[in-house]
Amino acid sequence: MSTSTRREAARTLALVWIVVVLGVLGVGWLLTGPLVSVVDPWDDGVARWLEDHRTADLDTAAAAGSAIADTIVGVAIAVVVGLAGSWWQRSWRPFVYFAVLVGGYLALYLVVTHFVPRDRPPVEILDPGLVPDHSFPSGHVATSIVVYGGIVLWVAAVAPRWRRWVWPLLLAPLVVAPSRLYQGAHHPTDVMTSLVSATIWVLAVAHVLLPRTADDRVQDRSAMVEA
């Protein structure tokens, strides 16, 4: 990327980030303010229904499903894949891509949980140590989309022949989302907000930072060799 292209990419992603943050803040304000009497009974009803249907086997499955999207796990995977991709492509673009993906949404999460505190569902929470009023949005669900979805999009862009081997990673949110609901960590609306906002973010970052043609991939490799 030329200097002007990098600046344009940074401006675009900054604008998208701000829009997504404002959108999530707006949804959070509605859920915890004007719509609280409408949304909370349904949210809490789902959480109580899931609590009533817990079993030992489901507890174990939910813990495993949640663990694949723990923050430390997601960050570690992104760092490893980013560094390995940079070494393989001989370009810093893969590492920057994953850093922006994960760092951008982590920053969003910190901003939103600060300005929109929301209590966890009124059930026994099976994931100990969670901050009581950081229910909105779901960080685990967002991580499952940003990290695993980000890997799929990266592989599809830089090594199309390998993409069939990574498509199953797109199933991660379908495992993590019900696991977090089952554990009582989040309301359904917390999960839905993360599903939408994280998807928008990963698609925007991929559109701006991933190479779109074979020529782009060649330029990435030559740029690092020259450096």
Side-chain angles (χ1 to χ4, degrees), residues 16-225:
V16 172
W17 186 85
I18 291 171
V19 171
V20 175
V21 169
L22 291 177
V24 176
L25 286 172
V27 172
W29 174 75
L30 289 172
L31 294 176
T32 58
L35 297 181
V36 65
S37 61
V38 177
V39 175
D40 271 10
W42 178 74
D43 265 352
D44 294 345
V46 172
R48 292 192 176 98
W49 184 87
L50 289 171
E51 183 182 38
D52 291 340
H53 290 80
R54 287 174 178 171
T55 67
D57 289 340
L58 288 176
D59 289 356
T60 301
S66 179
I68 67 173
D70 282 343
T71 300
I72 190 169
V73 173
V75 171
I77 291 174
V79 169
V80 170
V81 175
L83 289 175
S86 290
W87 174 81
W88 174 67
Q89 282 190 272
R90 299 185 180 182
S91 166
W92 287 114
R93 182 181 284 189
F95 184 77
V96 171
Y97 165 71
F98 283 103
V100 171
L101 268 181
V102 177
Y105 205 90
L106 179 59
L108 178 150
Y109 177 81
L110 294 175
V111 170
V112 174
T113 53
H114 176 76
F115 287 104
V116 185
R118 190 185 192 191
D119 291 336
R120 305 278 179 180
V123 297
E124 180 188 0
I125 299 175
L126 300 182
D127 187 358
L130 297 178
V131 180
D133 62 352
H134 281 193
S135 183
F136 180 85
S138 171
H140 279 70
V141 172
T143 296
S144 70
I145 296 172
V146 167
V147 174
Y148 297 110
I151 291 173
V152 171
L153 293 177
W154 175 68
V155 171
V158 303
R161 289 178 297 178
W162 296 356
R163 59 188 174 189
R164 60 181 176 178
W165 302 108
V166 296
W167 285 124
L169 293 178
L170 292 177
L171 298 177
L174 301 182
V175 174
V176 176
S179 296
R180 299 306 283 169
L181 292 173
Y182 177 89
Q183 291 185 307
H186 298 285
H187 306 87
T189 48
D190 303 329
V191 168
M192 288 187 285
T193 301
S194 287
L195 286 171
V196 174
S197 59
T199 298
I200 292 173
W201 178 242
V202 73
L203 290 176
V205 175
H207 177 74
V208 173
L209 296 183
L210 289 183
R212 303 178 193 176
T213 66
D215 288 341
D216 289 339
R217 293 191 285 271
V218 172
Q219 289 175 8
D220 284 345
R221 293 194 180 199
S222 62
M224 194 164 185
V225 170

